[in-house]
Amino acid sequence: FNGEGTVAIRDNLNVSSLTDDGPGRYTIGFTSAMADTNYITVTGGSDEGSGPTSYVQHDQDTKTASAVQFRSLDRNGNTADTSKFETAIFGDLA
């Protein structure tokens, strides 16, 4: 998704919503809830035109079966918007 300015979903599968929770903070809502919170997230972010300048992490305390919150950080560890944010979420198959 685009994480700068007006946030926007670029492509989705099982994503019902994207919320801008403030600078560098985003919540992804799921169309169909996960079975539990034992799913895995793989994320990445970059500022288009300037290469990979952002680091992304999910906030464990806001992870639910129906949504997950992420935040992006700049090279100095400060929360900052990311122009290009990628994430893949895998349900618990164990």
Side-chain angles (χ1 to χ4, degrees):
F1 61 84
N2 173 18
E4 286 185 321
T6 303
V7 297
I9 299 169
R10 294 179 191 240
D11 197 2
N12 67 332
L13 179 62
N14 197 34
V15 174
S16 62
S17 63
L18 172 63
T19 305
D20 185 345
D21 298 322
R25 293 189 161 287
Y26 316 97
T27 299
I28 296 174
F30 306 135
T31 303
S32 297
M34 300 291 179
D36 50 38
T37 58
N38 294 325
Y39 54 86
I40 298 166
T41 62
V42 179
T43 59
S46 66
D47 290 323
E48 292 180 332
S50 61
T53 59
S54 300
Y55 304 94
V56 180
Q57 66 185 57
H58 76 271
D59 289 337
Q60 202 65 18
D61 58 333
T62 58
K63 184 178 173 185
T64 69
S66 59
V68 63
Q69 187 177 65
F70 293 92
R71 66 183 180 138
S72 61
L73 309 170
D74 64 18
R75 290 181 189 262
N76 297 316
N78 301 310
T79 303
D81 286 346
T82 300
S83 63
K84 190 171 185 182
F85 189 108
E86 299 96 8
T87 187
I89 300 168
F90 300 93
D92 181 16
L93 301 176

